[in-house]
Every structure is written in structure tokens, then in C-alpha cells.
Amino acid sequence: MKQQLEIIRASALEAIAQTTAAEELEALRVKYLGKKGELTAVLKQMGKLSAEERPIMGQIANEVRAALESAIDEARIRLAAAAMEQRLVDEALDVTIPGKPIRIGHKHPMYKALDEIKDIFVGMGFTVLDGPEVELATYNFDKLNAEEGHPSRDWSDTFYFDEDSRVMLRSQTSPMQVRAMETMKLPIRIIAPGRVYRKDEVDATHSPMFHQVEGMVIDKGVTMADLKGTLNAVMEQLFGEGTVTRFRPHHFPFTEPSCEMDVQCHKCGGKGCPTCKGEGWIEVLGAGMVHPKVLEMSGIDSEEYTGWAFGMGLERLAMRRFKIADLRLIFENDVRFLEQF
């Protein structure tokens, strides 16, 4: 048995010293020290020895096991160091090679305009709200005094999800007026920017998906003069002192009286061109005094409180702000266009 142990020691140490991979080393450990390994097989024969021989063979067997375990640990360290050296060679980085330049992006022109609008209104004491793009007819129409049969509720104008015309992609940010009146304490001063959807044909100033910025003030003693003064101040801060605007009478079911606000075309200066469709003006928002019915449906006493509201097209403001001639450029993501901003 002593001779068998010495043979195992010699052959195992030689094999361990010559191994070049961690997988080979593990296989050798199992071969010699595993439950069915060569050393274990020899130790199972200890029962055949005399009482005097067992302690001697046991000591030799333990010395062989310790020698093999020590050799395996040293080999494991050696192989790990060799693997790291090889990895450093394979993954070497030449720091003298010029690096690849990283192109730094910047904000889209439309969101630059939105940030400017937010800053202006926040400076006036307004709160910025966000709301759902998938909306209920209750908020998109009913509580805004747009009753059944109103043209804006037609399937040719609005993207509906159900045959009952109760769930839709919101066609305006005006539902946020109702949500604000139902949840906020008076007085209320809010703006609510966001995406809206309508079945508009694409042209230089229209898109089926665009952005609006809704605004509303509810307080005691609010008048149409406050609305006009606020909007004129906003346009001058956006486009510069002396910006020419005009207000035209209009009709919206949720405001009374109602108006639309135009800004003089930035492309032609009011002379008429394709951008403004020859009119010299570009419509930027609809506005008016909040209809008493809308106030009452949201639980606000229309005898005590009045308010005004507006909804402005963000893309059209960006067009005017950055002298963009065609709204489609804003959505096409042409890098040659976007790099100009």
C-alpha cells in the first residue's frame, strides 16, 4: 500500500505541475481526491491492514493528500495569474490611438419653446400640470359643455377606441381644466402642456398629432381684459417687444365669450405667403372666458367666481419663435434641420 501511495503522489504531482487550464486541474482533483478517486480507493483498503500498520499507512496517506491539495492550490493560483496576463494582452488598449468623438445632443426646438413658455407662466404664479392622453368623453367633451352632436365629437375629427365614443385619444388639453377645477383649491392658475390628437391632414401648419399648452385662471373678478393682457405679455416675452397680435371673435362650447389669437406671420411679415396660406397671420391659440356651465359642472359657483382659459399650439409657437417655415420639419427628425438649433 505504501508503494501505491508513493506512485499516486508522484504521478499526481507531475500531472498537476504540467496542467495548463483550470478545467484540467479540476479533472485531476476529482481523479485523485474525489469520492471515487485513486487515493480514496487505496484508503478503502486500510481495513485489511494489521493494527500496527494502520497508523503508519494513515499518516502516509494524510501526507499524500496534503501534498496533492497544496499542489492543486498553487496550480490554481498559477493558472489564474496566467489567465489574467493573457487577458491583459488580449484586451490591451493603445492609449495613443485617437478616441472617437462623442456627439453631444441638445434639446429639440419645440421643447426649447415649451421650456420658455413654462418659465414665463411659472414666473406669473402658474402651476404646471400633466394629464392622461387617453381620455374619457366625460372630460374631453361632456364637462366642457360640448354636447352630443357637436362637430368636434364626430368620428371624422376624433380618434375613438370604442364604438360608444366614450374613450378616445384626447383632442385637446382642455380636459385638464375640468380635472384641475375638480381637485384644486380656488383660486386656480394652471398650465397643462401635452400631446393631443385630431384627424387633421398633414400640411405646413397641421398634423394629426401635435402639442398644446392649456392655461386657465379661476378667481374672483377675473375679466377678458386680464386674458388679453396676459397673452400679449406672454407673446412679447416669447417673440420680442412689439410683437403684433390680433384677437378675433370665435365660438367654443366651453368659453363665452370666445376668441382666437393670431400672431403676424414671421415668414412674410404680414404680406402673405405659403406658411400663413396668404393671410399674413398664423393662428396660435383659442381662448375665452370659462363658460358658467363649465364652472357649475365642476362644482364652482359661477356667481362668485369667473375665469379665463386658452389652448395654444406649441408647434406653431415654435415655428414663430425659431422662424420655421413648415411644421412638418419639426416631426421629421432630419439631423440637418435639428443641428441648426
Side-chain angles (χ1 to χ4, degrees):
M1 181 177 288
K2 181 178 179 181
Q3 185 177 4
Q4 286 180 295
L5 291 174
E6 292 299 333
I7 292 173
I8 290 173
R9 184 207 300 261
S11 61
L13 291 178
E14 182 180 0
I16 292 170
Q18 294 178 357
T19 189
T20 57
E23 295 80 3
E24 294 178 12
L25 183 63
E26 177 62 17
L28 290 173
R29 185 192 69 77
V30 173
K31 177 181 178 181
Y32 292 105
L33 301 179
K35 290 182 179 181
K36 298 181 180 180
E38 295 183 12
L39 181 60
T40 304
V42 172
L43 292 177
K44 288 180 179 180
Q45 302 174 21
M46 293 281 287
K48 299 178 181 180
L49 299 177
S50 64
E52 294 80 11
E53 292 178 316
R54 286 176 191 170
I56 298 173
M57 291 300 104
Q59 182 178 355
I60 296 173
N62 287 335
E63 291 175 356
V64 172
R65 177 180 291 277
L68 297 187
E69 289 177 345
S70 177
I72 289 173
D73 289 340
E74 292 176 2
R76 187 177 288 116
I77 295 171
R78 170 176 57 80
L79 293 175
M84 178 58 72
E85 288 293 332
Q86 187 60 44
R87 184 177 177 184
L88 291 174
V89 172
D90 294 340
E91 300 179 9
L93 176 66
D94 187 350
V95 295
T96 65
I97 298 176
K100 295 181 180 179
I102 299 175
R103 298 181 65 182
I104 304 299
H106 56 77
K107 283 187 177 180
H108 192 282
M110 187 181 68
Y111 285 100
K112 285 186 177 182
L114 176 59
D115 286 344
E116 292 181 12
I117 292 168
K118 286 181 179 179
D119 288 343
I120 292 170
F121 278 102
V122 169
M124 292 179 173
F126 284 68
T127 299
V128 180
L129 300 183
D130 188 24
E133 294 179 22
V134 177
E135 190 56 274
L136 301 175
T138 302
Y139 291 99
N140 202 76
F141 295 123
D142 297 343
K143 290 191 175 184
L144 289 169
N145 200 36
E147 300 176 349
E148 293 288 346
H150 190 276
S152 65
R153 302 183 73 140
D154 195 86
W155 277 76
S156 62
D157 286 344
T158 302
F159 294 98
Y160 289 102
F161 286 99
D162 63 332
E163 294 183 358
D164 295 330
S165 305
R166 302 305 300 172
V167 183
M168 68 210 68
L169 290 173
R170 65 180 178 185
S171 59
Q172 54 200 355
T173 46
S174 301
M176 288 308 298
Q177 294 182 26
V178 179
R179 293 182 180 275
M181 287 188 286
E182 288 183 344
T183 58
M184 298 180 69
K185 293 182 179 180
L186 295 169
I188 298 172
R189 290 174 177 79
I190 61 102
I191 61 168
R195 281 184 291 267
V196 298
Y197 306 85
R198 296 180 189 174
K199 292 182 179 178
D200 288 339
E201 295 296 329
V202 177
D203 61 25
T205 55
H206 292 83
S207 168
M209 187 284 293
F210 56 100
H211 296 74
Q212 279 188 342
V213 179
E214 193 76 17
M216 182 181 69
V217 170
I218 305 291
D219 204 346
K220 296 178 180 179
V222 172
T223 68
M224 191 76 171
D226 299 315
L227 168 64
K228 294 182 69 175
T230 301
L231 292 179
N232 276 327
V234 169
M235 295 303 155
E236 286 209 343
Q237 289 191 58
L238 275 175
F239 307 132
E241 188 175 351
T243 297
V244 181
T245 64
R246 72 176 184 183
F247 290 83
R248 294 178 287 103
H250 197 70
H251 169 72
F252 299 110
F254 36 84
T255 53
E256 181 60 37
S258 305
C259 65
E260 286 188 336
M261 181 182 186
D262 302 330
V263 175
Q264 194 173 76
C265 179
H266 58 277
K267 190 71 175 178
C268 64
K271 297 178 181 178
C273 69
T275 298
C276 61
K277 297 182 179 179
E279 297 179 359
W281 300 87
I282 295 178
E283 175 195 336
V284 292
L285 61 87
M289 298 300 295
V290 179
H291 199 293
K293 285 187 177 180
V294 175
L295 293 173
E296 296 290 346
M297 282 189 284
S298 296
I300 297 176
D301 186 353
S302 61
E303 296 294 328
E304 185 177 3
Y305 288 93
T306 55
W308 52 258
F310 66 84
M312 60 175 64
L314 182 57
E315 283 81 5
R316 295 186 183 184
L317 290 174
M319 290 173 67
R320 178 67 173 79
R321 173 68 177 80
F322 296 109
K323 306 296 187 293
I324 300 170
D326 195 317
L327 179 143
R328 289 167 288 195
L329 292 169
I330 292 176
F331 298 113
E332 289 174 350
N333 291 324
D334 189 325
V335 174
R336 294 170 299 178
F337 165 75
L338 296 175
E339 283 180 340
Q340 299 176 49
F341 304 95

